[in-house]
Amino acid sequence: MEQELMRIGVSLPDNLLTKFDSIIKERGYSSRSEGIRDAIRSYITYYEWMGDIRGRRVGTITLIYDHTKRGLSNAIADAQHEYTSLIKSSIHLHMDHQNCLEVIILDGEAEDIRKLDEKLMSLKGVKFVKLNTAPPAEKL
Ligand code: NI
């Protein structure tokens, strides 16, 4: 059965929309709506995948953020200090005048990894977050 389509209004920064439009054009989408539907599906898939990981995992969280954003560096550090038993190491790279890349190496319960990932994703000024996890060595 055909799904009923709902209309939504979304406010986006100009540069984000410009980039999105150039990607959907490059990928041959017929409309912005089609691209947005696909992006939402990917987001849901990622979220569901995150919800499916269980038990002890090892992994990394890679994030890129704007360190000039007031309070953000502190908020990122605070989030990591809440999960010291989970975080084994981290690498920080000052990418350019504005942006930092951080890779956090984790070993612990999936539930905690997910909470830290969600916390980092929710911070304003964080431009990119990517979680990767694997089972611990004895389960490979
Ligand atoms: Ni930096």
Side-chain angles (χ1 to χ4, degrees), residues 92-94 100:
H92 187 106
L93 173 72
H94 309 298
C100 298

Side-chain angles (χ1 to χ4, degrees), residues 57-117:
R57 306 286 290 191
V58 290
T60 59
I61 296 173
T62 302
L63 64 153
I64 296 173
Y65 63 93
D66 179 352
H67 89 101
T68 65
K69 190 119 194 163
R70 207 182 172 83
L72 182 59
S73 296
N74 272 339
I76 289 169
D78 286 348
Q80 294 186 59
H81 279 276
E82 273 181 52
Y83 294 92
T84 48
S85 63
L86 188 67
I87 298 170
K88 299 304 159 193
S89 186
S90 67
I91 302 161
H92 187 106
L93 173 72
H94 309 298
M95 293 172 81
D96 56 31
H97 188 68
Q98 196 178 9
N99 298 292
C100 298
L101 168 90
E102 206 155 303
V103 181
I104 305 165
I105 303 170
L106 311 145
D107 181 351
E109 284 304 307
E111 174 89 15
D112 294 331
I113 293 176
R114 191 159 41 240
K115 278 189 202 152
L116 175 60
D117 189 66

